[in-house]
Amino acid sequence: MIALIDAGDPRLASAPGEPCVLAAIQGLAKTAGPGLRREFWLALDGDSRPAGAVCRTEGGVRATATAPAAQETAAFLSALGALPGTVDSVLAPLLPGDWRRCPVLEYRGALPVETPCCTPSAMALVECNVSAGAISPGDRDALYAELHLRLRRGAAQVFLAPDGDGKTAAGAATLLGDRHAVIGWLACRREKQGRGHGTAALLAAVRGAMEQGKTPLLACREELAAFSPARGFFLAGEVWERGALLSR
């Protein structure tokens, strides 16, 4: 059974599923409010216990489910339409369309050393992503609105690494789930690349997540996964993406 729930439903915190997708859904639940398209559903087993979770936002869908609930959850997602999305490896084979595999990495190193950071700013992080080519200039306002909302609702943190002059060179954001924190929007300004600023922003985000008592997770491109152990990240699973979710 697929049941529509309120964003504050306590069952969402204990729902099973792929940790990266589930943490993103839990984090987005904290941003729900009037005037925003934030819908949440639980897949329930025969005893009405959570067996998966689905979230639809303005940008697309996220979904994760256990094997017994996979067919029903996949049918529900298909009924929602061919939206951009992120799903787990249980659901991806059951859904139409082209899905791209993204390795999920978990940080298993020591608490990173604290380093100086610029004052958190959603707009500064957006500009890093525009400069790096991670988003188009036309998406600038939409990403700013999403990041600002997350910060205001306590659903995210932003970390900005400075250059030698104290200006923002790179940044990252964490979306805070109940047990995990998903690191996203990691980007370094094009003219500052190759100097370690991106790594500094990444490790600042890791430290921030660990200080919150959450395990840092990172979904990345296939070609980057091999370089991650040197930074304390190790392969923990995979998610599948279709299209581009602006509200990562």
Side-chain angles (χ1 to χ4, degrees), residues 86-178:
T86 302
V87 302
D88 62 22
S89 57
V90 174
L91 293 171
L94 305 175
L95 296 170
D98 296 324
W99 293 85
R100 180 181 71 256
R101 178 182 181 270
C102 294
V104 173
L105 309 175
E106 179 181 303
Y107 184 78
R108 298 174 185 168
L111 180 70
V113 174
E114 185 173 11
T115 56
C117 287
C118 299
T119 302
S121 163
M123 185 55 74
L125 180 55
V126 169
E127 294 304 326
C128 285
N129 276 268
V130 172
S131 174
I135 66 167
S136 69
D139 286 329
R140 178 186 276 113
D141 290 345
L143 178 55
Y144 168 75
E146 179 67 33
L147 288 171
H148 181 70
L149 174 66
R150 293 182 186 184
L151 289 170
R152 190 157 44 89
R153 299 281 174 87
Q157 296 175 294
V158 165
F159 300 90
L160 303 172
D163 62 12
D165 296 322
K167 298 178 180 178
T168 298
T174 56
L175 183 56
L176 303 173
D178 286 275

Side-chain angles (χ1 to χ4, degrees), residues 219-240:
C220 69
R221 299 193 303 272
E222 292 270 8
E223 61 269 23
L224 298 179
F227 299 98
S228 300
R231 295 176 174 83
F233 284 88
F234 294 87
L235 184 65
E238 63 185 24
V239 295
W240 294 78

Side-chain angles (χ1 to χ4, degrees), residues 37-61:
R37 190 178 180 185
R38 298 283 199 272
E39 296 179 296
F40 301 88
W41 296 268
L42 283 177
L44 302 176
D45 64 17
D47 296 318
S48 296
R49 294 174 300 193
V54 178
C55 168
R56 177 168 63 175
T57 70
E58 299 90 336
V61 297

Side-chain angles (χ1 to χ4, degrees), residues 125 129 132 134 170-173 183-188 197-199 201-202 218 248:
L125 180 55
N129 276 268
I183 300 172
W185 300 117
L186 175 64
C188 183
H197 299 308
T199 297
L202 173 62
L218 176 67
R248 285 191 226 177

